[in-house]
Amino acid sequence: MTHAVHADRIGLASWPAGSLICGEGVHAAGDDHVFMGLALDEARAAASAGEVPVGAVVVARDGRVIGRGHNRVLALGDPTAHAECLAIREAAAATGGRLEGATLYVTLEPCPMCAGAAVLARLSRVVFGCDDPKSGAGRSLFTILCDPRLNHRCRVSHGVRAEEAAALLAEFFRTLRSTER
């Protein structure tokens, strides 16, 4: 099934950027812009290290950043070292466990593994920048984050600073392809 067909089938194809996919938001739109900026900083750190430029931050209900991460798959030799998982691990260590009331900001739509981690961590909300039509589990291919069959669901917003996030990814892969020739 193509992305467009799936998105249309589940009613998301025509939703504008910044739309709330399920539930209501916790932070104001201005906060989303600021916190996504921190996630973009993490993505830039990943790119500087030669990793796919994805960054994430976890923000507590009171607005404190309690977890940060950027892709470190190559550096750690760990296929699970995605930005979201690293940020969630740091936040869980800081709070002693589950992350009710917290929001995950990530530059790229989470993959199924990271979406599952967000659900299991009991994050209240996930905000992502650009869609991932090849492995997105927030709205593109799957809707794990707010699947009604699960015992916890995250509120989801998308499209926050999407152009910046997409530009980082595009430049990274353009450079990677040019050096591989």
Side-chain angles (χ1 to χ4, degrees), residues 5-6 8 11 44-45 63 72 91 107-108 110 135 145 147 164:
V5 171
H6 178 71
D8 187 52
R44 289 182 195 97
R72 298 192 61 213
T107 57
L108 178 66
S135 65
L145 293 168
D147 190 315
E164 292 170 77

Side-chain angles (χ1 to χ4, degrees), residues 1-10 12 21-22 109-116 119 128 131-150 154 156 158:
M1 178 180 308
T2 69
H3 160 63
V5 171
H6 178 71
D8 187 52
R9 183 177 61 80
I10 61 175
L12 302 177
I21 295 172
C22 50
E109 180 179 5
C111 71
M113 175 186 70
C114 295
V119 169
F128 64 88
D131 290 345
D132 184 352
K134 293 185 177 180
S135 65
R139 77 180 210 125
S140 293
L141 291 180
F142 309 104
T143 54
I144 291 171
L145 293 168
C146 57
D147 190 315
R149 297 170 294 182
L150 299 176
C154 305
V156 179
H158 71 97

